[in-house]
Amino acid sequence: MAGAPSGPGGRNPGPGGVRAAGGDVARRAGAVPRGNGALRVVGSPVRKVDGLSKCAGETKFADDIVLPRMLFCKLLRAPVPHARIVRADASKAAKMPGVFAVLTGRDLPIPFGILPVSQDEHALCLDRVRFVGDPVAAVAAADEDAALDAVNAIAVEYEPLEAVMSIEQAIATPSPRIHDYGDEGNIHKKVSLEFGDVARGFLEADEIFEDAFFYEGSTHLPMEQHAAVAAVAPDGKLTVWSSTQTPHYVHRALAKVLQMSPAHVRVIACPNGGGFGGKSDPFSHEIVVAKLSLLTGRPVKVTLTREEVFYCHRGRHPVLMQIRTGVTRDGRIKAMDFKSCLDGGGYGSYGVASTYYTGALQTVTYPVENYRFQGARLFTNKPPCGPKRGHGTPQPRFALEVQMDKIAQRLGIDPADLRLRHLVPPDSLTAKTMRVGSMGLGKCIEAVVRGSGWREKFGRLPHGRGIGLACSSYICGAGLPIYWNSMPHTGVQLKLDRGGGVTAFCGAIDIGQGSDTVLAQVVAEVLGIDPCDVRIVCGDTDLTPVDLGSYSSRVTLMMGNAAIQAAERARELLAASAAEKLGVPVEEIGCGAGRVFDVGDPGRGLSFAEAVVLAEAKFGTLGTVGSYTPPPSAARYKGAGVGPSPAYSYSAAIVELEVDPRTGWIRVERVHLAHDVGRCINPVLVVGQIEGSVYMGLGEALMEEQVFRARRNGVHKNPSLLEYKSPTTMEMPDVVSYIIEDPDPNGPFGAKEVGQGPLLPIAPAVVNAVHDAVGVRIDEVPVTPEKVLKALESPAKRLGPRGVPDARWPEPIRVPTPWDAPVNSGARR
């Protein structure tokens, strides 16, 4: 550990560097190091703002109160994909002008990670780097230039190790191991599950289809880069402001790594300028700035460059898949055998869950009578993959929906009709014992078929123009928390004030999906007030109840239910006091239009503010709480924690496009997308999420790829917005959105998710439309012009992988289906 003030005083050489000026005793006393090595005690409160003046390293007020000046952090990152750290010498950096503190891995030796089974990351690498961009050291300095100069002065000696750069290489290269844990060699996790009797199902099938697919990895590409600020208060308590989707889990990681009481750590999640899953992990830079602030007594800020965001990654896993499906002549699925191999990158992240998700949702759209899933996640020397919009499900959905198109073609059935004939019934259990509630996929298919003119266009357009269909489903939050416990997944606290305003406190954070608006609307709907009268306080681990985070499309359903409970409890207090005032039974009291009134005589009533005053006089200060825990899952087997959800959303997409057979260039003309949202709380937000999903789905289908130069030390091929291709307004087609309402009893007012599900059918719909246009099958994405031309030149009129490598699959865990061994009387086939 090393730290130093920017001036000449206070240096105290030690192993690896110097101590921060003033030492721990001064920091506990509420002091901060001055630019000249002296100390000033921070006063409170600040009274005279008019006399503000600046001095070296601090902000000084006229009453001689001194506030610490912010420092800036830069990280030194590994230039090699896999190596042992032989030596890290930060002594030169620690002595440079403007440098306040330097950290290396030994200063933060405690590991962390988002999953309890994958605590494999260190804020700064201890003894090994595992991808180009792995953080090795950090500097806090007076400005970013000084910090950058200092990190470049840190000398690190590496002993190179063999780099593993692909799925096939990871399976074939068990040594050297990237991590000392995992199922074997460089295989992080292997899963093998069988539901029913797959062999019997294939014997009963009339036709068997076997296909291989590949879905390339991609990154989230949020407009806002990752950033964090940490500040330590005079009492030693730490506050971290971060662009994060999961303040609760960042709070947990900080307390663990820094060995601080959780009560002394506060995390404030700032409104995100885009997240899409990329800000769902606790990150190294958040922990590093916290440690630097504790060392120096000053606020410390870090803002990652765009290139560093590519290194943080946690994006879409590249997945190699093989799917074997047996069907009857009318298209009923008798058996499905699905294999997936995931390129996980250098660390665990959400990877165990990601592996299960690649096999989780195949059975919640079309009935599958017998189902086997085998999945393997591999460690490679690349930035770690994690949860990108749709977490682990767009890849298998791509494979399933393209194969469904092939099945329809061979059976001579219209692809829309094949799907409409075989839909999972509502209120049923699937082969994997997942409980489906409302199921509006049929209405979605009918809407896009009618709106697009599918019946008149499919198979009838001129050569070079095509139309393709695909469907999907997605969860509305996970049924179990990351750390299994019996506590609520979210909570909402309401405070009612005498002026008629309501403040709603919730730990959920708005990442652009509109959760703040949803919270205000839900509370206002129950209390009968204008949403503008609801103030939102969110994402603050000191002020708000715990919410597990903005991921897995969980917020509307879970936060919404908690908000309804809190608001109904508040309404009960208002109704009791108003009933007493109006002389009517409490059950005769209603709330609406900013009033609390007698439903039998609406003219008799009180304003909402008057009702609050009466209730406060009767009950004391008004505050209520609500919380939400998902209903228990019917599934009881290892791996059943991934997939079950309180509800499932459904989508259907039709893509119309043009393919130039001379160049292979694809131009998408129009996308029709219908989404079963349960109950639409805010149509503008719903349409915005549909259009955003279409945009992201088209990027993955046509151009986006997170790829690396294996022969050049694993360097990222496109780590900038200039080189990493994503759609612009010029490539964005017209989008026709259809809001389908099929209320689910588990949702708030029947609402379901819309933030992630509509992305899933886009890539397969594009590929199916390409086949309709020029007659070739592209069984991998992105579908680039080069691939179209290769497929056109191929005798098989196909481009794609041949299969998945043998991961030495274990014997599957065998689980009876509900119809073989009924879980309850409600099980339906």
Side-chain angles (χ1 to χ4, degrees):
M1 180 167 54
S6 59
R11 297 196 182 279
N12 179 23
V18 293
R19 294 185 63 200
D24 293 336
V25 175
R27 285 193 296 279
R28 286 196 294 270
V32 297
R34 292 173 61 105
N36 61 4
L39 293 171
R40 262 293 172 74
V41 175
V42 177
S44 180
V46 175
R47 295 187 297 277
K48 296 181 181 179
V49 178
D50 294 311
L52 181 64
S53 64
K54 293 287 179 90
C55 60
E58 61 196 26
T59 300
K60 183 178 180 182
F61 288 83
D63 60 358
D64 210 31
I65 291 173
V66 177
L67 297 179
R69 190 174 181 180
M70 182 178 289
L71 304 178
F72 296 87
C73 171
K74 284 292 182 180
L75 296 165
L76 177 67
R77 296 182 179 274
V80 292
H82 197 197
R84 290 190 182 91
I85 299 174
V86 177
R87 182 178 61 89
D89 184 359
S91 57
K92 181 179 177 182
K95 298 173 183 177
M96 294 178 69
V99 174
F100 277 68
V102 181
L103 296 176
T104 58
R106 63 186 178 189
D107 300 311
L108 292 162
I110 298 174
F112 70 96
I114 185 64
L115 299 185
V117 296
S118 300
Q119 301 284 300
D120 59 359
E121 297 187 59
H122 289 88
L124 299 169
C125 296
L126 277 176
D127 54 9
R128 190 191 298 192
V129 298
R130 293 174 170 88
F131 65 92
V132 172
D134 220 354
V136 175
V139 169
D143 56 57
E144 287 190 309
D145 289 340
L148 189 58
D149 288 342
V151 295
N152 288 332
I154 298 172
V156 182
E157 181 183 343
Y158 298 99
E159 178 190 327
L161 299 170
E162 181 180 354
V164 176
M165 300 302 296
S166 69
I167 290 170
E168 294 82 358
Q169 186 184 359
I171 292 175
T173 310
S175 181
R177 298 187 73 180
I178 296 174
H179 286 280
D180 293 332
Y181 80 100
D183 284 355
E184 63 175 91
N186 285 311
I187 300 177
H188 176 201
K189 181 66 179 178
K190 288 200 283 192
V191 177
S192 189
L193 295 165
E194 182 170 343
F195 303 87
D197 189 335
V198 171
R200 183 190 66 197
F202 280 121
L203 289 174
E204 295 173 353
D206 298 315
E207 298 275 359
I208 295 176
F209 298 78
E210 187 161 6
D211 296 284
F213 300 91
F214 178 66
Y215 202 106
E216 182 59 88
S218 58
T219 200
H220 313 83
L221 218 66
M223 291 295 289
E224 176 201 43
Q225 294 133 250
H226 297 249
V229 175
V232 61
D235 61 3
K237 292 182 179 178
L238 175 71
T239 301
V240 174
W241 293 261
S242 183
S243 176
T244 178
Q245 298 176 230
T246 54
H248 171 68
Y249 291 116
V250 173
H251 178 266
R252 189 183 190 111
L254 287 167
K256 178 189 177 186
V257 175
L258 301 175
Q259 294 185 290
M260 293 181 66
S261 165
H264 292 181
V265 178
R266 179 184 186 185
V267 176
I268 299 173
C270 306
N272 285 195
F276 313 114
K279 299 172 182 175
S280 298
D281 285 71
F283 282 99
S284 296
H285 62 271
E286 294 164 324
I287 299 169
V288 165
V289 292
K291 181 68 172 180
L292 289 170
S293 183
L294 291 169
L295 279 174
T296 64
R298 294 172 179 252
V300 181
K301 178 180 180 179
V302 63
T303 302
L304 302 190
T305 64
R306 178 61 61 179
E307 185 172 350
E308 287 180 297
V309 174
F310 277 89
Y311 297 145
C312 283
H313 194 40
R314 317 302 161 120
R316 185 84 70 221
H317 284 75
V319 181
L320 188 58
M321 297 162 284
Q322 187 168 321
I323 177 171
R324 186 167 183 255
T325 304
V327 300
T328 60
R329 289 186 179 86
D330 66 352
R332 186 155 49 101
I333 299 174
K334 300 295 292 184
M336 182 181 293
D337 187 356
F338 193 96
K339 292 182 174 68
S340 64
C341 290
L342 295 77
D343 183 339
Y347 292 97
S349 184
Y350 285 83
V352 172
S354 308
T355 307
Y356 279 104
Y357 269 125
T358 60
L361 300 188
Q362 283 85 323
T363 65
V364 298
T365 43
Y366 319 115
V368 178
E369 295 186 19
N370 303 278
Y371 178 62
R372 181 190 296 132
F373 167 61
Q374 292 174 310
R377 184 180 191 263
L378 297 314
F379 284 127
T380 59
N381 294 116
K382 304 176 188 177
C385 298
K388 186 186 176 189
R389 200 174 195 170
H391 188 192
T393 64
Q395 303 97 319
R397 180 55 54 181
F398 169 75
L400 175 57
E401 292 297 318
V402 175
Q403 190 182 65
M404 287 291 287
D405 228 49
K406 296 180 181 182
I407 291 171
Q409 182 181 14
R410 188 188 299 182
L411 297 181
I413 302 173
D414 183 288
D417 291 334
L418 176 67
R419 291 165 170 86
L420 285 168
R421 292 177 190 175
H422 304 288
L423 297 175
V424 168
D427 305 315
S428 65
L429 290 174
T430 72
K432 292 180 81 263
T433 325
M434 295 195 291
R435 192 178 303 279
V436 173
S438 70
M439 207 283 192
L441 182 54
K443 296 177 184 177
C444 292
I445 296 172
E446 290 167 354
V448 294
V449 165
R450 183 171 55 252
S452 66
W454 168 270
R455 303 288 184 190
E456 295 74 40
K457 296 177 180 177
F458 177 65
R460 297 179 173 87
L461 295 174
H463 184 72
R465 296 192 63 233
I467 188 168
L469 167 70
C471 301
S472 70
S473 60
Y474 197 63
I475 61 174
C476 298
L480 290 172
I482 290 174
Y483 289 82
W484 289 12
N485 58 66
S486 57
M487 290 183 287
H489 291 212
T490 190
V492 171
Q493 189 170 358
L494 300 182
K495 178 182 75 68
L496 283 65
D497 66 60
R498 299 172 188 179
V502 177
T503 303
F505 299 84
C506 182
I509 181 66
D510 199 317
I511 59 172
Q513 84 281 39
S515 61
D516 285 0
T517 301
V518 170
L519 177 55
Q521 284 190 251
V522 169
V523 171
E525 179 72 18
V526 175
L527 296 179
I529 59 177
D530 192 312
C532 293
D533 292 332
V534 181
R535 183 182 299 276
I536 305 299
V537 177
C538 64
D540 187 326
T541 60
D542 262 16
L543 300 183
T544 61
V546 167
D547 178 270
L548 299 184
S550 295
Y551 63 91
S552 294
S553 277
R554 57 179 297 282
V555 176
T556 290
L557 187 140
M558 297 193 183
M559 177 195 70
N561 279 319
I564 288 175
Q565 187 181 78
E568 287 178 342
R569 288 170 174 172
R571 188 176 61 186
E572 290 173 3
L573 299 177
L574 299 177
S577 55
E580 190 175 286
K581 175 72 173 178
L582 299 175
V584 297
V586 68
E587 57 269 17
E588 297 292 322
I589 295 295
C591 297
R595 298 177 68 248
V596 180
F597 54 87
D598 178 0
V599 295
D601 183 5
R604 295 183 66 240
L606 310 162
S607 70
F608 183 80
E610 291 170 335
V612 169
V613 169
L614 281 176
E616 186 172 339
K618 181 178 177 65
F619 298 108
T621 301
L622 291 182
T624 60
V625 297
S627 59
Y628 178 76
T629 302
S633 169
R636 296 289 185 272
Y637 53 86
K638 184 178 181 181
V642 175
S645 176
Y648 297 92
S649 70
Y650 292 90
S651 302
I654 286 179
V655 170
E656 299 179 59
L657 52 73
E658 182 178 12
V659 181
D660 187 336
R662 298 169 301 169
T663 64
W665 193 261
I666 299 170
R667 186 175 69 87
V668 178
E669 298 174 345
R670 186 171 291 104
V671 175
H672 296 261
L673 197 142
H675 184 74
D676 167 23
V677 73
R679 176 73 70 195
C680 180
I681 292 177
N682 187 308
V684 174
L685 292 179
V686 170
V687 171
Q689 289 299 302
I690 289 174
E691 292 178 352
S693 291
V694 169
Y695 165 83
M696 189 168 282
L698 288 174
E700 295 184 9
L702 297 173
M703 61 190 75
E704 293 192 38
E705 48 185 349
Q706 173 102 338
V707 292
F708 302 83
R709 301 182 189 275
R711 294 182 181 179
R712 294 184 60 186
N713 288 331
V715 173
H716 198 297
K717 192 175 180 180
N718 307 306
S720 74
L721 291 179
L722 177 64
E723 298 167 295
Y724 182 92
K725 302 304 180 185
S726 64
T728 68
T729 54
M730 300 300 293
E731 289 81 39
M732 189 65 182
D734 291 337
V735 178
V736 183
S737 300
Y738 305 82
I739 300 175
I740 305 300
E741 293 191 294
D742 189 0
D744 194 281
N746 285 334
F749 308 120
K752 300 195 287 190
E753 75 86 37
V754 67
Q756 304 188 60
L759 178 148
L760 275 62
I762 299 301
V766 166
V767 167
N768 291 339
V770 168
H771 177 262
D772 187 51
V774 292
V776 297
R777 287 288 179 189
I778 312 294
D779 289 341
E780 62 179 55
V781 292
V783 184
T784 61
E786 294 84 358
K787 292 177 182 178
V788 172
L789 292 178
K790 286 183 180 179
L792 286 169
E793 295 167 359
S794 165
K797 301 299 179 186
R798 175 191 180 268
L799 187 141
R802 296 182 178 179
V804 301
D806 181 13
R808 300 175 292 278
W809 306 105
E811 189 69 19
I813 297 172
R814 302 187 186 279
V815 183
T817 62
W819 39 88
D820 289 334
V823 175
N824 57 43
S825 59
R828 293 170 58 183
R829 189 165 179 164

